[in-house]
Amino acid sequence: MTDEDADELAWETTSRSVAYECPGFEIVHEEVRLPDGTPTDFDYLADDPAVVLLAFTPDGEVVLVEEWRQAVGRVNRGLPAGGVESEDADLAAAAHRELREETGYEADSVEKFGGFEPTNGVADAVHHYFLAEGCRPTGEQDLDFDESIRVTTTPYEDLLEDVRSGEVRDGRTALGVLNYELG
């Protein structure tokens, strides 16, 4: 990008360091210069890309996970999702792996239908949404040490109504279902 191509709203990063790291994410600290030349700093959560699956069984049920979410102090009901790992050949491979690990279900096929930056004011996360079809329970879950997940299924229309009514509060799930509806 040349200087003529630079957006007048862009901030200039003058230094970058990791302020905190833990399994799953880092907090990045950057020294920046605003468009008017004012120096300041900015912190954000650096997160690996993730895959989110709208997974349908052959009879039209959607595979969901119920998982304890410590940040909000309750069980969350939503779509299976997880981080892309270095050994994943591509995003589709990550989608197959995450579905299998979190739910014990295997999909006949997965197809990407969306990609979003759900919290780009505070994080660099990108969520890649996949439609998984022909999902059948074929094995055991392979959960991370800090995951507590119960697998369930529900008719798609019931999930859609739960998103509409606000009963489903998980943002990844609401975004995926609504994007699928609009597609």
Side-chain angles (χ1 to χ4, degrees):
M1 179 186 289
T2 66
D3 286 341
E4 292 100 35
D5 295 333
D7 192 302
E8 65 187 31
L9 300 177
W11 296 5
E12 176 190 358
T13 302
T14 58
S15 72
R16 180 184 191 277
S17 62
V18 174
Y20 174 79
E21 62 184 304
C22 66
F25 65 88
E26 298 175 336
I27 302 297
V28 174
H29 177 79
E30 292 184 341
E31 297 293 327
V32 299
R33 189 173 336 280
L34 302 179
D36 69 0
T38 304
T40 190
D41 60 347
F42 184 77
D43 297 299
Y44 64 92
L45 185 138
D47 197 7
D48 291 334
V51 292
V52 184
L53 293 115
L54 181 57
F56 285 94
T57 65
D59 62 356
E61 298 264 310
V62 178
V63 180
L64 299 174
V65 295
E66 295 175 343
E67 183 173 8
W68 179 258
R69 292 300 191 185
Q70 184 66 24
V72 293
R74 66 178 160 72
V75 171
N76 181 72
R77 183 167 61 111
L79 300 177
V84 176
E85 297 178 359
S86 59
E87 61 270 11
D88 292 324
D90 56 24
L91 292 173
H96 279 287
R97 178 188 51 74
E98 275 298 329
L99 181 66
R100 184 179 61 255
E101 287 179 0
E102 285 204 350
T103 68
Y105 278 70
E106 299 268 351
D108 288 342
S109 65
V110 297
E111 182 178 338
K112 187 174 178 184
F113 71 92
F116 301 95
E117 300 168 347
T119 56
N120 64 16
V122 295
D124 67 356
V126 178
H127 294 172
H128 302 276
Y129 284 79
F130 282 84
L131 176 64
E133 295 183 297
C135 299
R136 293 175 180 82
T138 60
E140 299 282 321
Q141 291 172 290
D142 185 15
L143 301 175
D144 293 338
F145 80 95
D146 61 349
E147 290 180 309
S148 301
I149 294 176
R150 179 173 45 239
V151 180
T152 185
T153 62
T154 193
Y156 175 75
E157 290 302 320
D158 291 353
L159 175 60
L160 178 59
E161 181 53 37
D162 288 347
V163 168
R164 282 185 180 134
S165 72
E167 184 175 321
V168 169
R169 296 176 62 185
D170 179 70
R172 287 186 301 204
T173 299
L175 181 59
V177 169
L178 294 173
N179 185 254
Y180 178 74
E181 271 302 296
L182 293 171

